[in-house]
């Protein structure tokens, strides 16, 4: 994986990894930082049982940015049957809404449990209103309940593939468009997820 000037090399052939690193070093000035621990706001820890990735520090930064570090956590990211629409007063300064939703989009890397709600909130980036901002703050209060939630990729999997999907049929009030989402597991490890309309 490459991001600007950071690269993560992974695989199960240590000799091939060493050869690739030696080749890259012969062409570019590189620095090997050893085993992956932190990359682009994602914390990585490894053990005999598997790999854990989390964005705890990043989550706490979002909570601070939203000004809700002292707020009481909630049990759900959004009230059931909430239908956000173009009703309500426009926000005078939509920049905070856009920044928070953008940060939440990146957080779904390790928090697929908020993906549907973030997808709904991202529909209003062009003209956010007060009810939309209240919904964002509700998602943040939900995250406050478990900022260190993580994804675990077990080293002991049975390699069975399972997939789950769901849809919110014609659930967007203004366009009547549907939203679908899916999760794919390899053994007990979540390997793919997506929400789309």
């Amino acid at each position: 994986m490459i991001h600007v000037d950071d690269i993560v090399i992974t695989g199960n052939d240590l000799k091939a990894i060493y050869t690739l690193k030696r080749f890259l070093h012969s062409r570019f000035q590189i620095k090997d930082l050893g085993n992956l621990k932190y990359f682009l706001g994602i914390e990585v820890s490894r053990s005999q049982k598997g790999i854990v990735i989390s964005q705890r520090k990043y989550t706490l930064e979002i909570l601070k940015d939203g000004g809700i570090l002292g707020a009481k956590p909630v049990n759900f990211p959004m009230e059931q049957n909430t239908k956000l629409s173009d009703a309500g007063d426009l926000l005078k300064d939509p920049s905070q809404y856009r920044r928070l939703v953008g940060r939440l989009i990146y957080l779904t890397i390790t928090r697929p449990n908020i993906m549907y709600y973030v997808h709904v909130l991202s529909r209003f980036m062009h003209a956010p209103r007060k009810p939309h901002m209240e919904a964002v703050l509700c998602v943040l209060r939900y995250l406050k309940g478990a900022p260190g939630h993580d994804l675990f990729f077990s080293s002991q999997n049975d390699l069975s593939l399972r997939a789950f999907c769901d849809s919110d049929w014609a659930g967007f009030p203004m366009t009547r468009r549907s939203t679908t989402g899916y999760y794919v597991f390899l053994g007990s490890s979540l390997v793919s997820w997506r929400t789309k309309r």
Side-chain angles (χ1 to χ4, degrees):
M1 179 168 40
I2 300 174
H3 178 77
V4 188
D5 60 356
D6 297 316
I7 184 170
V8 175
I9 302 171
T10 185
N12 56 5
D13 187 342
L14 294 178
K15 184 178 178 185
I17 291 172
Y18 176 75
T19 303
L20 176 60
K21 288 195 293 190
R22 197 173 62 210
F23 170 77
L24 290 172
H25 189 66
S26 71
R27 301 287 194 257
F28 310 99
Q29 183 177 351
I30 65 170
K31 184 176 182 182
D32 185 355
L33 299 176
N35 288 336
L36 183 65
K37 292 182 179 68
Y38 193 79
F39 186 72
L40 300 176
I42 301 170
E43 301 157 45
V44 181
S45 58
R46 301 183 330 181
S47 71
Q48 293 290 332
K49 294 181 180 180
I51 297 173
V52 175
I53 64 172
S54 125
Q55 291 176 291
R56 183 181 190 282
K57 183 175 181 268
Y58 184 74
T59 302
L60 292 172
E61 289 171 6
I62 297 171
L63 297 179
K64 183 178 179 183
D65 189 21
I68 60 120
L69 280 175
K72 183 179 176 184
V74 295
N75 293 327
F76 300 99
M78 199 176 282
E79 292 296 323
Q80 190 173 9
N81 299 322
T82 298
K83 300 290 184 191
L84 295 175
S85 66
D86 280 341
D89 295 334
L90 285 169
L91 295 176
K92 291 179 182 174
D93 180 14
S95 62
Q96 184 183 23
Y97 178 86
R98 291 176 181 146
R99 184 176 59 254
L100 289 172
V101 172
R103 295 186 83 179
L104 288 172
I105 289 170
Y106 187 65
L107 186 62
T108 62
I109 292 172
T110 59
R111 298 295 296 257
N113 57 329
I114 64 166
M115 188 179 328
Y116 171 77
Y117 309 103
V118 173
H119 181 80
V120 169
L121 294 168
S122 69
R123 293 175 177 169
F124 302 100
M125 296 285 264
H126 63 287
R129 298 171 184 272
K130 288 184 179 177
H132 307 148
M133 189 63 176
E134 290 168 8
V136 168
L137 295 177
C138 187
V139 172
L140 294 182
R141 289 175 58 207
Y142 170 74
L143 292 172
K144 187 172 186 252
H149 186 79
D150 53 42
L151 286 179
F152 175 66
F153 300 96
S154 176
S155 59
Q156 303 295 317
N157 268 330
D158 59 8
L159 299 181
S160 61
L161 195 62
R162 295 176 299 138
F164 303 90
C165 67
D166 198 3
S167 63
D168 182 13
W169 188 256
F172 192 47
M174 286 139 3
T175 62
R176 306 303 299 159
R177 291 184 77 174
S178 301
T179 301
T180 59
Y182 65 82
Y183 294 86
V184 179
F185 290 83
L186 182 61
S188 61
S189 301
L190 181 63
V191 293
S192 181
W193 58 93
R194 183 168 183 205
T195 300
K196 65 178 188 171
R197 60 182 153 157

